[in-house]
Amino acid sequence: MIPETNIYDLLSFLFFAAVTLGSSLGVVMVKDVWHSALLLGVALLSIAIHYIILSAEFIAAMQILVYVGGILILISFAIMLIRRNSDPTSNTSPTFPIGPNLLNGTTAVLFFILCSFIIYSTSPLISPIGFPEGAQITTSIGYSLFDIPGSSIESEGFIAAFEIVDIALVAALVAAVMLARRTPTNIISKVSFSFSIPNFLKRGEK
Amino acid sequence: MVPISYYVFLSLAIFSIGLFGVLTRRNALMFLISIELMLNAANLNFVAFSFLHGNLTGQIFTLFILALAAAEVAVGIGIIIVLHRTFSDIDVTKAVTMRW
């Protein structure tokens, strides 16, 4: 069945879809990495607006907090760290030659055309069920995350996945610190040196 | 409400743009940014289908993907900083000492 679509819903969807697509295209097309990081922020914020339209307010808040507030700051931190150390003549700016990348770019465009043809020919225009009026969506997410009964919306329990994500986050952050630490062998040798030759032995040598 | 297939088209377009970025750019930071775009496309699909079925499972999956994306970016930026320290460049076509 064809759902009836409110004209304002359609207009708002089209406007924010245009913002999302335009800024995403800018992310991959702009030559400067810093500019594409800023455009990524615009794309992430407009995707958060799509989440609000789809009545996922908690996910939208988490998107803004985690992506715009965390990941984008990390990426801009890395851009500034790498730019400061490199001299301006080195080739850290992205190169975008047409010749060798023509096949790769065409592959991505063909992927889009193929998948859009598949979606267009298979997906029926069913109208969404949506969440019931006045449903406590954020509360139900909390109940379902910890597998506690009391959720007003149908869902599954995720307590095991929650704990696994917890461990994965800690492991990834420790791994990031270990990777980015500058010359860990020097620290270890300095510690062992101070343990191996105490001060009173040095005084005796003198 | 607009039909959900519009959102599927939108997320397919975002995913293809991210794929285009991964395939055509040579800067390692651009890889990371394009992968963020692709992850967001998957998230948008999850939230759209969660709204379609009136089921919260998709939204909770989106929360997990958000957490894992944060972990992935932390490790990725650590790798890029080590890459820059080793090769004094973040061009992915120049880090070829492990090839063959």
Side-chain angles (χ1 to χ4, degrees), chain A residues 100-131:
Chain A
N101 285 330
L102 193 59
L103 181 66
N104 294 335
T106 317
T107 307
V109 174
L110 279 182
F111 175 79
F112 173 70
I113 293 172
L114 179 70
C115 284
S116 58
F117 178 71
I118 291 172
I119 291 172
Y120 182 74
S121 56
T122 55
S123 74
L125 290 173
I126 49 177
S127 69
I129 297 173
F131 299 110

Side-chain angles (χ1 to χ4, degrees), chain A residues 2 4 8 22 24 40 52 56 81 97 102 107 109 114 117 120 129 144 156 159 164 168 170 176 186 195-196 198:
Chain A
I2 306 292
E4 68 280 8
Y8 296 111
S24 310
L40 179 71
I52 292 176
L81 194 70
L102 193 59
T107 307
V109 174
L114 179 70
F117 178 71
Y120 182 74
I129 297 173
S144 307
E156 295 173 26
I159 182 71
I164 291 169
V170 173
N186 278 354
F195 272 115
S196 61

Side-chain angles (χ1 to χ4, degrees), chain A residues 9 28 67 94-95 101 130 154, chain B residues 1 24-26 36 51 55:
Chain A
D9 285 346
V28 296
Y67 267 107
T95 55
N101 285 330
E154 180 191 1
Chain B
M1 214 36 231
T24 55
R25 302 298 287 263
R26 285 162 57 193
E36 291 309 312
F51 187 79
N55 193 325

Side-chain angles (χ1 to χ4, degrees), chain A residues 29-189:
Chain A
M29 286 299 188
V30 162
K31 214 169 177 56
D32 194 359
V33 189
W34 175 239
H35 291 165
S36 51
L38 292 180
L39 278 170
L40 179 71
V42 177
L44 295 175
L45 282 175
S46 64
I47 288 175
I49 291 172
H50 283 299
Y51 290 162
I52 292 176
I53 293 174
L54 287 167
S55 72
E57 296 90 0
F58 182 65
I59 310 292
M62 284 301 113
Q63 165 98 356
I64 292 174
L65 278 178
V66 174
Y67 267 107
V68 185
I71 291 177
L72 205 60
I73 296 297
L74 266 180
I75 288 176
S76 53
F77 162 74
I79 289 172
M80 289 173 183
L81 194 70
I82 285 168
R83 273 194 172 175
R84 190 198 60 187
N85 289 334
S86 64
D87 67 313
T89 57
S90 78
N91 191 16
T92 51
S93 66
T95 55
F96 192 63
I98 286 297
N101 285 330
L102 193 59
L103 181 66
N104 294 335
T106 317
T107 307
V109 174
L110 279 182
F111 175 79
F112 173 70
I113 293 172
L114 179 70
C115 284
S116 58
F117 178 71
I118 291 172
I119 291 172
Y120 182 74
S121 56
T122 55
S123 74
L125 290 173
I126 49 177
S127 69
I129 297 173
F131 299 110
E133 201 68 33
Q136 306 265 326
I137 293 176
T138 309
T139 315
S140 302
I141 286 178
Y143 280 131
S144 307
L145 264 185
F146 293 103
D147 210 356
I148 303 169
S151 165
S152 59
I153 304 173
E154 180 191 1
S155 172
E156 295 173 26
F158 284 94
I159 182 71
F162 184 80
E163 295 298 332
I164 291 169
V165 164
D166 175 17
I167 295 170
L169 263 180
V170 173
L173 288 181
V174 171
V177 170
M178 285 298 292
L179 275 175
R181 197 165 57 163
R182 190 175 289 274
T183 61
T185 54
N186 278 354
I187 297 169
I188 293 169
S189 65

Side-chain angles (χ1 to χ4, degrees), chain B residues 4-54:
Chain B
I4 290 300
S5 49
Y6 289 9
Y7 281 100
V8 178
F9 270 117
L10 177 65
S11 81
L12 169 66
I14 298 171
F15 185 87
S16 301
I17 289 169
L19 188 69
F20 184 85
V22 167
L23 287 178
T24 55
R25 302 298 287 263
R26 285 162 57 193
N27 194 322
L29 276 168
M30 281 307 300
F31 267 44
L32 215 58
I33 292 174
S34 303
I35 286 173
E36 291 309 312
L37 277 182
M38 294 160 85
L39 280 173
N40 267 286
N43 279 348
L44 189 58
N45 247 349
F46 269 122
V47 173
F49 279 102
S50 161
F51 187 79
L52 171 67
H53 294 294

